[in-house]
Amino acid sequence: MRSTTQGPAPRLIYIGAVPSHDVLIIGAGLAGQRAALAAAQAGATVAIISKVHPVRSHSVAAAGGINAALNPEDSWESHAYDTIKGSDYLGDQDAIEIMCREAPDEILWLEHAGVTFYRNETGHLGTRAFGGASAARTYYVADITGHAILHVLYEQLMKYSEQIDRYEEWFGTDLLQDDAGRCIGAVCRNLRDGELQVFNAKTTILANGGAGQAYRPTTNGLIVTGDGIAQAYRIGARLMDMEMIQYHPTTLAGNGLLITEGARGEGAWLLNAKGERFMEKYAPNKLELASRDVVSRAEQTEINEGNGFPDGTVALDITKVPKRRVLEALREIVNIGRDFAGVDITREPIHIHPGQHYIMGGVKTDVDGQTTIPGLYAAGEVACVSVHGGNRLGANSLLDTLIFGRRSGEHAAKHALQMTMPTTPASRISDTQAAIDAIVNRPAGGRRVSSIKEELGDTMNKYVAVFREEEGLQKAHEIVRRLKEEAPNASIDDRGTIFNQDVIGAIELGYMLDCAEAIVVAAVERKESRGAQFRTDFPERNDGEWLKHIDVSANGADVPKVSYSPVTITKWEPQERTY
Ligand SMILES: Cc1cc2nc3c(=O)[nH]c(=O)nc-3n(C[C@H](O)[C@H](O)[C@H](O)COP(=O)(O)OP(=O)(O)OC[C@H]3O[C@@H](n4cnc5c(N)ncnc54)[C@H](O)[C@@H]3O)c2cc1C
């Protein structure tokens, strides 16, 4: 952290003991880092906060690639249409148009910044096919695309170190508002020593990522706990499309580890226990490369009808892909197969099933990242623009983080540079301090945080998964409500201040429970089947009644309040969706 006495940084100021920046960014994955660069380039001072070292952010796990219609034979309109169809017509078409139009320039920007995208035999940027796409438009770095991009962005942050202060291993606990309801920064805890600090900011961007840990198993890392979604919800922001939870078709049984869609993009087949290529029945044209909701439902149907293996799986046969290509382009999943399933994927099929992977919903924003709270922005998986609607196409999320991260950074900076700095007293830590003291002083011996978290994850995975129905969803809601009552008494062991992950775990549990309740309430509300929400009691899509977003907000009520907002349609009218 830079102090006022260091270096030529005339625009960074302290007001009292409070560091004050034009733009405060909470989260340093792809969305947060891209926003920071854009804001700095626009002339703003920036603080970027991350609860882990930035290059350990969950974006590092992204494997398969990033979409853009860069080839002359491809077009942004085709990319947009595929995305809209993939979203089951719930995606907002103005936002999707922006994302797909701006994608090619973003890929070139990344390449010029140093991302070593795969180049083909002719020396051109090469692509692989991904699900739901009518052209092979996924650019990639082997199966470590997120890792490659994240490290390059982090290098770029160094160039702007005069303007960007990095607060690594700091945890944002609460967003702060002024009397008019404007967001004026956040309270954060330094994980190294437990110090609480107010961060004063003209504008604040949430880039905290998704909420996958509310499910068990999930492909998401332990840090993906819905912090930003819950914090925004708690101060009155609207959430949108929360019922839309993506189950990825190829996750390992037991631990939820992801086998990238890149495997099917390279030519792998899905087989049931009878050796049948069952996607011929469900998606005769696109087969394994139908969109994810369609493939996951097909797999789950095979498993439910007794055509799966005894361990509740079907098989992914990567032996269809030439071994040389597997070792070149899919080397990480060779390791995953060997280390976590004891399978050499170049020689035999591997057992997989659908597993929780991504949340299409999040904090509702406009195309510049502005939420319904003045001064508060959101970008990346924490946000819902909504470019993914009912179902995200593979390789569109990295694109979403970068395009809307950049746009949020630019807009927040422009806005901030026209404002005066708010003054937030250091004493605004008091509520957070009291909440942390209450956690630390809980009596020993109660139910553990991890036990509540496991019950939450199992409940969501049982009732709010690929197939849903009213009774199960109501049961899930009852359990989430009970867990919300139990959580404030969950006991912890570590009562110290240095890297106290027990305290952080207790706080994160509250965020996950808030997210879970919003997901369940929205899933109960949507009485139709669309995208990732398949209601067995309402198996048809019903555009007449449900071609609209479900918004969820706190508004001081005990249970989330539901409202609706329209879907923006520019030129693609809803059609029947077949693959
Ligand atoms: C295994 C896997 C593979 C994937 N592969 C692909 C792919 O190939 N292509 C694709 O398009 N998408 C892919 N995705 C999805 C994509 O990776 C994510 O949606 C995207 O990376 C999210 O980026 P983000 O910047 O929004 O959040 P993240 O990268 O999750 O970053 C969140 C940041 O917020 C910080 N943070 C969170 N809470 C707090 C807090 N309270 N205080 C301080 N900091 C906080 C974290 O430390 C982190 O820095 C994949 C996802 C997974 C799980």
Side-chain angles (χ1 to χ4, degrees):
M1 179 169 65
R2 188 199 297 137
S3 83
T4 38
T5 55
Q6 272 182 318
R11 283 169 296 192
L12 170 65
I13 52 169
Y14 274 70
I15 296 178
V18 178
S20 303
H21 298 82
D22 294 323
V23 182
L24 169 67
I25 300 171
I26 305 177
L30 289 182
Q33 293 197 34
R34 189 68 185 90
L37 286 170
Q41 282 165 346
T45 57
V46 178
I48 183 165
I49 288 174
S50 173
K51 64 182 176 180
V52 294
H53 188 282
V55 298
R56 299 187 67 206
S57 300
H58 200 59
S59 294
V60 81
I66 177 168
N67 288 335
L70 194 54
N71 280 333
E73 318 81 69
D74 200 358
S75 69
W76 74 262
E77 288 94 338
S78 168
H79 184 187
Y81 171 70
D82 291 343
T83 303
I84 290 160
K85 179 179 172 187
S87 82
D88 218 347
Y89 296 91
L90 190 66
D92 282 327
Q93 297 183 8
D94 54 343
I96 292 171
E97 285 193 19
I98 287 172
M99 181 175 81
C100 298
R101 272 181 203 268
E102 295 184 3
D105 282 347
E106 193 67 23
I107 297 292
L108 294 178
W109 182 86
L110 289 171
E111 223 243 350
H112 295 163
V115 177
T116 52
F117 284 115
Y118 169 76
R119 283 182 177 264
N120 60 23
E121 314 71 50
T122 58
H124 293 92
L125 289 176
T127 54
R128 62 166 46 124
F130 248 57
S134 50
R137 61 168 74 96
T138 303
Y139 294 86
Y140 63 96
V141 182
D143 51 359
I144 57 160
T145 310
H147 182 115
I149 302 176
L150 196 62
H151 280 254
V152 166
L153 290 192
Y154 192 66
E155 287 166 11
Q156 296 295 313
L157 284 191
M158 302 301 153
K159 274 205 219 165
Y160 290 89
S161 58
E162 287 306 319
Q163 274 167 272
I164 303 175
D165 289 319
R166 302 187 319 278
Y167 296 85
E168 297 170 356
E169 297 177 323
W170 281 71
F171 183 86
T173 60
D174 297 283
L175 296 169
L176 293 171
Q177 287 170 289
D178 65 13
D179 292 343
R182 183 178 177 82
C183 184
I184 50 168
V187 177
C188 302
R189 177 176 162 106
N190 185 345
L191 295 176
R192 294 171 198 201
D193 59 11
E195 176 205 357
L196 282 179
Q197 171 79 63
V198 166
F199 284 81
N200 194 20
K202 295 178 186 173
T203 53
T204 302
I205 302 176
L206 293 172
N208 313 55
Q213 283 289 322
Y215 281 74
R216 189 173 86 130
T218 171
T219 62
N220 293 191
L222 286 169
I223 57 173
V224 187
T225 48
D227 307 16
I229 297 175
Q231 287 176 15
Y233 169 76
R234 287 176 187 182
I235 66 163
R238 277 197 192 199
L239 309 180
M240 190 164 86
D241 297 346
M242 288 295 286
E243 69 279 21
M244 297 302 181
I245 298 293
Q246 179 161 84
Y247 270 64
H248 192 290
T250 55
T251 70
L252 281 191
N255 58 27
L257 280 175
L258 183 79
I259 304 291
T260 173
E261 187 165 306
R264 281 171 289 138
E266 298 289 345
W269 289 14
L270 287 166
L271 303 173
N272 64 20
K274 298 174 186 164
E276 294 164 341
R277 194 181 186 190
F278 57 86
M279 285 311 298
E280 288 169 353
K281 275 190 283 181
Y282 300 93
N285 297 319
K286 298 295 284 185
L287 298 162
E288 285 82 4
L289 289 180
S291 70
R292 288 179 177 177
D293 57 331
V294 172
V295 182
S296 286
R297 266 195 300 282
E299 288 178 4
Q300 197 61 53
T301 303
E302 290 294 303
I303 295 165
N304 293 351
E305 290 179 353
N307 297 330
F309 294 96
D311 60 350
T313 62
V314 288
L316 179 69
D317 188 357
I318 303 170
T319 65
K320 303 287 177 208
V321 185
K323 184 170 178 176
R324 197 162 150 260
R325 181 69 185 149
V326 175
L327 297 177
E328 174 187 52
L330 299 169
R331 57 192 182 220
E332 283 305 312
I333 60 169
V334 173
N335 296 339
I336 288 176
R338 185 193 59 221
D339 297 345
F340 293 95
V343 171
D344 178 352
I345 61 165
T346 64
R347 289 170 179 269
E348 55 178 321
I350 188 165
H351 288 198
I352 48 83
H353 62 48
Q356 196 284 343
H357 181 59
Y358 184 84
I359 179 162
M360 270 72 76
V363 185
K364 178 184 175 79
T365 71
D366 67 10
V367 296
D368 291 312
Q370 296 186 94
T371 72
T372 53
I373 301 288
L376 182 66
Y377 293 71
E381 197 169 336
V382 68
C384 178
V385 187
S386 124
V387 283
H388 310 301
N391 171 71
R392 168 175 76 88
L393 291 190
N396 262 355
S397 171
L398 296 188
L399 185 60
D400 168 12
T401 64
L402 295 166
I403 300 292
F404 294 102
R406 171 171 54 70
R407 292 177 69 93
S408 301
E410 283 167 355
H411 198 279
K414 194 169 156 208
H415 197 62
L417 292 173
Q418 293 160 2
M419 292 174 60
T420 51
M421 190 68 77
T423 50
T424 316
S427 59
R428 288 285 302 265
I429 63 167
S430 57
D431 288 349
T432 309
Q433 188 65 66
I436 289 178
D437 290 347
I439 293 172
V440 171
N441 293 322
R442 284 176 191 170
R447 191 175 177 193
R448 300 182 67 83
V449 169
S450 58
S451 154
I452 297 177
K453 182 176 173 229
E454 281 173 16
E455 187 178 352
L456 171 67
D458 292 344
T459 300
M460 297 299 283
N461 197 36
K462 183 168 179 190
Y463 297 116
V464 202
V466 175
F467 293 112
R468 306 158 175 196
E469 42 75 37
E470 182 80 17
E471 198 184 334
L473 290 171
Q474 294 294 1
K475 174 95 184 145
H477 197 190
E478 268 171 43
I479 295 171
V480 171
R481 296 291 299 171
R482 172 171 56 72
L483 296 178
K484 278 189 131 178
E485 282 170 22
E486 289 182 36
N489 298 317
S491 66
I492 64 164
D493 295 324
D494 185 352
R495 293 167 201 276
T497 51
I498 299 170
F499 281 110
N500 188 332
Q501 291 300 329
D502 262 10
V503 166
I504 297 304
I507 297 171
E508 289 171 340
L509 177 63
Y511 298 147
M512 286 181 275
L513 286 163
D514 280 355
C515 291
E517 184 163 32
I519 292 166
V520 173
V521 164
V524 170
E525 183 71 14
R526 184 173 290 282
K527 293 182 175 40
E528 65 153 357
S529 291
R530 181 185 301 272
Q533 156 103 342
F534 194 97
R535 292 276 304 247
T536 52
D537 44 356
F538 298 98
E540 302 300 327
R541 192 176 89 190
N542 177 352
D543 288 339
E545 286 180 73
W546 289 105
L547 185 58
K548 58 189 176 189
H549 297 287
I550 294 175
D551 295 355
V552 172
S553 55
N555 272 354
D558 186 31
V559 176
K561 176 175 172 287
V562 168
S563 53
Y564 306 109
S565 47
V567 174
T568 305
I569 294 188
T570 55
K571 54 184 172 195
W572 290 278
E573 289 300 326
Q575 296 168 352
E576 193 192 348
R577 192 164 160 254
T578 53
Y579 285 98

